Amino acid sequence: MSEKIFPISQARLEEIIKDYPTPFHIYDEKAIRQNLRRLFAAFSWAPSFREHYAVKAAPNPYLLEIMREEGAGADCSSLAELHLAEMAGITGEKIMLTSNDTPADEFQKALELGAIINLDDISHIDYLEKNAGFPSCMAFRFNPGDCIEGNSIIGQPEEAKYGLTREQLFEAYAKARSKGVKRFGLHTMVISNELHADSFINTARLMFELAVEIKEKLGICLEFTDLGGGIGIPYRPKENAVNLEEVGAGIHQAYQEIIEPAGLGNLAIALELGRAITGPYGYLVSTVLHEKHTYKDYIGLDSCMANLMRPAMYGAYHHIAVVGKENKPCDHVYDVTGSLCENNDKFAIDRRLPKIDIGDRLVMFDTGAHGHAMGFNYNGKLRSAELLLQEDGSIKLIRRAETLDDYFSTLHFPGSKF
Ligand SMILES: *Cc1c(COP(=O)(O)O)cnc(C)c1O
């Protein structure tokens, strides 16, 4: 069971809304910091442990500053994300570039920042040499093919566009070494939003065995293995959170069994969690604009799938609370919708909720990762503001809401007043 409790009282929320109209995402700084500390503690056994926060989950430099202060780095997969990391003061090997189909300017920026560059394909060695040069530390992304089961979000590894095959991997390390690269890591990411601790422990075993084989066959002692992101969160109240301590202990055991006897005992462990770090600590707050009763009962919000795409895109569940009615019986069944001209713009379908009235505030839970980040402008919808509930209880606007001027700013249309 995971409890869904919004950390702000109804009265305080109304004060906040006076300054910052809905819709907005709000993030709980204290909870994010506590969570990061818990993660670092779960891996304190490792000779070196790194968390490169997956910037794409919540690409806001204020959040990245929190990561930096807690000792985490950044996993970037685009030029903009590299700039965001730099803005937040994350530099050097605290940054890892894990991109795919990578353009030259990303490699160049990563090199300028002194980042670790993680290559998605063997052909990128030549491309990198030609277009940017080599970093001090390089990694390769392993796609285990049919050696491991994926899960439903990320799919079967064999069908995934990412990474190198096993044969290519050995060839790639040898090739990069022959070109003068001396420091290496190994990366994989095969699961997404996974709630079973065993999946991560099994991935670690597979990677550790591979690290040993790389040492035996090529004489290369890897500096780190990066087990990717993908730790899930309990979006549904009946689901349980992944026990980070159990994952840490399970990986520790595999490390003692596989890595230490092979003489690789300095191998660092890296993760690039996004969702599990900020996901549960972000909330989308909206106001009910309309109710509509036709063949079904609809509640229309001032937000839409441009603010939170996961329900429409994956049929994902996001828990909803009606502020001030948390203890009322859920004796109504609603479709909770946004205003986009797409019938799948529904935050919830046939959801049991208390009786809702126009003007009620609705809180959607678990929007702290892949929430605002996935926003878009289809149908002229504008992205919302992002707020930070700071540790002292005060509110900081960390991104203002988009305006029509923003929306039209890329048009050079004669006579436009924008
Ligand atoms: C998206 C992504 C992550 C983060 O995934 P989460 O599910 O948010 O943990 C990490 N690494 C890579 C390469 C990714 O593409």
Side-chain angles (χ1 to χ4, degrees), residues 52-57 75 77 98-100 118 141 154 162 187-189 191-194 226 228-232 272-277 369-370:
H52 295 273
Y53 178 73
V55 176
K56 79 168 192 279
D75 184 61
S77 49
T98 297
S99 83
N100 66 93
N118 183 23
R141 179 170 186 164
I154 211 158
Y162 307 113
H187 170 274
T188 199
M189 163 127 182
I191 31 193
S192 179
N193 194 23
E194 174 63 57
D226 186 327
I231 291 190
E272 46 194 46
L273 302 174
R275 191 188 315 268
I277 302 299
H370 313 295

Side-chain angles (χ1 to χ4, degrees), residues 263-315:
L264 280 169
N266 285 325
L267 184 77
I269 305 292
L271 294 175
E272 46 194 46
L273 302 174
R275 191 188 315 268
I277 302 299
T278 52
Y281 312 114
Y283 307 83
L284 172 62
V285 181
S286 313
T287 301
V288 176
L289 292 184
H290 299 285
E291 62 178 299
K292 169 168 176 168
H293 306 282
T294 53
Y295 304 103
K296 297 183 87 172
D297 294 326
Y298 295 98
I299 294 297
L301 304 185
D302 59 356
S303 56
C304 69
M305 67 183 281
N307 306 110
L308 180 67
M309 185 155 67
R310 297 185 70 261
M313 188 164 168
Y314 310 119

Side-chain angles (χ1 to χ4, degrees), residues 124-195:
H124 291 190
I125 300 173
D126 289 335
Y127 185 83
L128 186 61
E129 183 174 37
K130 196 162 135 233
N131 292 286
F134 293 120
S136 167
C137 186
M138 189 190 275
F140 293 102
R141 179 170 186 164
F142 174 46
N143 180 330
D146 59 6
C147 298
I148 204 164
E149 292 268 306
N151 69 6
S152 62
I153 291 196
I154 211 158
Q156 288 305 312
E158 280 170 290
E159 296 291 330
K161 66 173 177 167
Y162 307 113
L164 291 77
T165 66
R166 206 181 157 81
E167 294 71 36
Q168 287 172 337
L169 198 65
F170 285 89
E171 211 185 305
Y173 283 110
K175 181 168 178 172
R177 180 175 55 187
S178 75
K179 289 180 178 289
V181 181
K182 294 197 173 59
R183 299 170 51 224
F184 292 102
L186 170 67
H187 170 274
T188 199
M189 163 127 182
V190 285
I191 31 193
S192 179
N193 194 23
E194 174 63 57
L195 288 171

Side-chain angles (χ1 to χ4, degrees), residues 86-131:
E86 186 182 24
M87 249 181 247
I90 302 173
T91 53
E93 293 187 357
K94 284 278 189 182
I95 302 179
M96 171 126 149
L97 175 70
T98 297
S99 83
N100 66 93
D101 189 16
T102 310
D105 56 0
E106 266 173 43
F107 281 138
Q108 288 155 3
K109 183 69 186 169
L111 207 69
E112 176 200 317
L113 292 172
I116 298 171
I117 298 184
N118 183 23
L119 296 187
D120 185 65
D121 189 43
I122 188 165
S123 68
H124 291 190
I125 300 173
D126 289 335
Y127 185 83
L128 186 61
E129 183 174 37
K130 196 162 135 233
N131 292 286

